[in-house]
């Protein structure tokens, strides 16, 4: 693992992540994903979908709208409860989350969030402003994290709508649609991947906490009384998923939420945390949300959201287990965990040891001499053979040593070099393995099969 600064620099240099609106001086905490970043992100999402939806009979997919009827957010409790406790330093006017200030001072993971208690603790612990050192804060105010905008041309109360702060509610409001169209048997789940927006008071740590991010969420509906069993199995399922993406077990831990910390809808929640360079941080959450959401939406919409159980001939409101994972946060953890620095022949080699199925580029095609027409022609021919099957990059912009280092740094598992032996002797190329750096000669005619055997996409 490396530090944040080194990773941010690699991410920019190699085209994973750029600062948002950079040529205008940026817009704080917005990030754009470059050619390799978008590929990595898409692959993470595809692997999630493949494991959690495509290969399971009990899972169904959804892509619901970001903009929803504002009544959704009344029913879900977000309009009333989705807030952070905010304080301003009266001296320098900087704004902070009161619970963050206390967590830093007390070196504790989570602080209960009631405003009165926070006010008392800030005073009693003599908390000072991290910016100017004064100890003069405003009273704690609840700040709603939802982005508000207007639908249509009139900017009045009647047209106020919100950007969704989680994808989950789109699933709950489509419960009947999916039950009626897909006829699932309980227990079953609905998965969704999509953008969410939160007006975070203190975004930061690169793409760890941003105001616009993607979530991969599942609502897994179960018979009331069986939720604990499914809760545990979803923790296992996601621990396996995360390690299959190259994250080592030692850098993951499960943290159970205390009673005071539980969200208004949950009777049990665990975070899976990752050991980031700045400390353990939430990678994803698994929440037992009871029947809160379905009941609230039934109540607020007047439409009953129930499952008919043919075995007992009764209508029931299922309980639900919700695994929820941020895509960018996961991408960041994967990049940290796969980052290695080694010394090879007195030179530093940086390698992203992505699992092969995750690497944005699977095969690099490197002609040894870019001015030798026979070599270039052969390299282009190989590009044509491999590229319909695997993500390939053609690169002739440096010496072979440099090209290898570049591919190591973006995690490409295989480099193919086309040289004089290829075109003058035996129509073989060298294939270099990223991790062992071993090279072997393979016949061009056998190359595609060679890679088909080595590269699995799932
Ligand atoms: N539907 C439940 C829910 O949204 P959450 O714990 O608020 O729960 C789930 O969010 C996951 O979404 C987090 O574990 C994290 O991976 C990601 N996430 C939440 N807020 C984020 C932010 N501001 N920036 C990046 N990722 C975020």
């Amino acid at each position: 693992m490396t530090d944040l600064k080194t990773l941010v620099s690699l991410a920019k240099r190699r085209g994973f992540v750029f600062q948002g609106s950079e040529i205008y001086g940026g817009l704080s905490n917005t990030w754009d994903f470059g050619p390799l970043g978008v590929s990595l992100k898409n692959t993470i999402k595809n692997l999630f979908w493949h494991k959690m939806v495509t290969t399971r009979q009990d899972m169904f997919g959804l892509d619901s709208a970001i903009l929803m009827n504002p009544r959704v957010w009344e029913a879900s409790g977000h309009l009333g409860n989705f807030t952070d406790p905010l304080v301003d330093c009266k001296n320098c006017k900087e704004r902070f989350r009161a619970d963050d200030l206390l967590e830093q001072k007390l070196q504790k993971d989570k602080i209960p969030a009631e405003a009165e208690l926070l006010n008392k603790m800030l005073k009693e612990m003599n908390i000072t402003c991290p910016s100017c050192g004064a100890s003069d804060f405003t009273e704690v105010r609840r700040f709603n994290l939802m982005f508000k905008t207007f639908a249509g041309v009139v900017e009045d109360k009647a047209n106020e709508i919100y950007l969704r702060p989680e994808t989950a509610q789109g699933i709950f409001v489509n419960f009947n649609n999916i039950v009626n169209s897909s006829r699932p048997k309980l227990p079953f789940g609905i998965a969704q991947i999509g953008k969410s927006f939160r007006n975070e008071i203190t975004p930061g740590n690169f793409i760890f906490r941003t105001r616009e991010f993607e979530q991969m969420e599942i609502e897994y509906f179960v018979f009331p009384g069986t939720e604990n069993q499914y809760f545990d199995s979803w923790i296992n399922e996601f621990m396996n998923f995360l390690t299959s993406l190259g994250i080592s077990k030692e850098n993951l831990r499960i943290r159970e939420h205390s009673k005071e910390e539980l969200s208004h809808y949950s009777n049990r929640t665990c975070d899976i945390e990752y050991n980031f360079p700045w400390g353990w941080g939430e990678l994803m959450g698994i929440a037992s949300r009871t029947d809160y959401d379905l009941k609230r939406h039934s109540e607020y919409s007047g439409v009953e959201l129930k499952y008919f159980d043919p075995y007992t001939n009764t209508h029931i409101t299922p309980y639900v287990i919700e695994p929820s994972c941020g895509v960018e946060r996961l991408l960041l953890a994967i990049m940290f965990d796969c980052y290695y620095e080694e010394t090879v022949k007195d030179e530093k080699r940086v390698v992203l040891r992505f699992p092969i199925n995750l690497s944005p580029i699977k095969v690099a095609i490197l002609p040894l001499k870019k001015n030798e027409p026979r070599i270039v022609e052969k390299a282009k021919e190989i590009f044509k053979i491999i590229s319909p099957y695997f993500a390939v990059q053609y690169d002739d912009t440096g010496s072979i040593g440099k090209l290898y280092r570049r591919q190591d740094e973006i995690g490409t598992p295989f480099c193919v070099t086309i040289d004089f032996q290829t075109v003058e002797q035996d129509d073989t190329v060298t294939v270099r393995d990223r991790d062992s750096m071993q090279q072997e000669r393979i016949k061009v005619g056998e190359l595609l099969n060679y890679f088909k055997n080595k590269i699995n996409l799932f």
Side-chain angles (χ1 to χ4, degrees), residues 99-112:
D99 51 346
D100 277 356
L101 292 175
L102 286 158
E103 277 165 25
Q104 279 154 24
K105 169 86 175 186
L106 299 174
Q107 296 283 302
K108 264 181 95 172
D109 267 348
K110 291 284 169 191
I111 300 283

Side-chain angles (χ1 to χ4, degrees), residues 166 198 200 208 210 213 215 217 282-284 322 324 326:
E166 60 173 17
R198 297 181 187 179
E200 299 280 2
F208 177 80
T210 49
F213 54 96
Q215 290 184 307
E217 297 203 293
E282 175 185 338
L283 187 56
M284 61 168 296
E322 177 197 68
S324 172

Side-chain angles (χ1 to χ4, degrees), residues 222-430:
V222 303
F223 286 101
T226 62
E227 62 273 14
N228 268 335
Q229 156 200 346
Y230 288 103
F231 189 91
D232 292 338
S233 66
W234 277 108
I235 289 187
N236 280 337
E237 189 76 1
F238 270 88
M239 285 301 269
N240 290 338
F241 176 60
L242 298 174
T243 49
S244 77
L245 297 178
I247 301 182
S248 44
K249 265 209 174 96
E250 309 84 81
N251 284 331
L252 292 171
R253 73 175 187 193
I254 296 163
R255 189 181 69 80
E256 179 107 28
H257 283 210
S258 65
K259 273 216 168 68
E260 302 79 53
E261 205 192 320
L262 287 174
S263 303
H264 58 277
Y265 50 72
S266 175
N267 65 3
R268 187 179 172 201
T269 296
C270 283
D271 289 342
I272 300 184
E273 296 187 328
Y274 179 73
N275 193 8
F276 288 98
W278 56 87
W280 290 94
E282 175 185 338
L283 187 56
M284 61 168 296
I286 293 164
S288 174
R289 289 179 84 125
T290 67
D291 54 5
Y292 176 86
D293 303 271
L294 289 180
K295 282 205 162 143
R296 291 278 287 197
H297 286 303
S298 293
E299 189 190 322
Y300 278 68
S301 66
V303 176
E304 203 167 70
L305 300 174
K306 287 198 169 179
Y307 171 82
F308 177 70
D309 180 13
Y311 299 106
T312 55
N313 247 346
T314 50
H315 287 89
I316 56 165
T317 309
Y319 271 39
V320 72
I321 306 297
E322 177 197 68
S324 172
C325 184
V327 179
E328 293 83 355
R329 215 173 260 196
L330 178 53
L331 182 148
L332 183 60
I334 291 169
M335 286 192 77
F336 275 124
D337 225 82
C338 293
Y339 183 99
Y340 288 83
E341 277 180 18
E342 307 165 350
T343 307
V344 178
K345 292 189 194 138
D346 292 336
E347 259 190 55
K348 187 168 99 174
R349 174 173 106 112
V350 172
V351 197
L352 285 179
R353 290 196 204 281
F354 292 136
I356 291 180
N357 58 3
L358 208 54
S359 292
I361 306 292
K362 307 288 189 244
V363 180
I365 311 235
L366 314 175
L368 190 71
K369 288 254 178 284
K370 68 173 171 186
N371 300 325
E372 170 54 53
R374 291 172 302 160
I375 289 184
V376 171
E377 195 185 322
K378 185 53 87 175
K380 290 193 169 156
E381 180 191 321
I382 293 171
F383 183 92
K384 275 205 183 128
I385 295 172
I386 311 292
S387 59
Y389 298 89
F390 303 112
V392 175
Q393 190 172 74
Y394 185 99
D395 195 357
D396 62 2
T397 58
S399 68
I400 196 70
K402 265 212 180 106
L403 297 182
Y404 281 157
R405 296 286 172 272
R406 199 179 289 165
Q407 294 300 331
D408 288 344
E409 226 185 6
I410 64 172
T412 305
F414 302 105
C415 289
V416 170
T417 305
I418 298 93
D419 56 17
F420 285 101
Q421 187 177 328
T422 318
V423 292
E424 287 175 355
Q425 294 180 26
D426 54 11
D427 206 32
T428 64
V429 291
T430 62

Side-chain angles (χ1 to χ4, degrees), residues 1 53 61 89 96 112 160 176 188 200 368:
M1 196 175 304
V53 182
C89 170
F96 302 97
E160 269 178 13
N176 281 357
F188 69 90
E200 299 280 2
L368 190 71

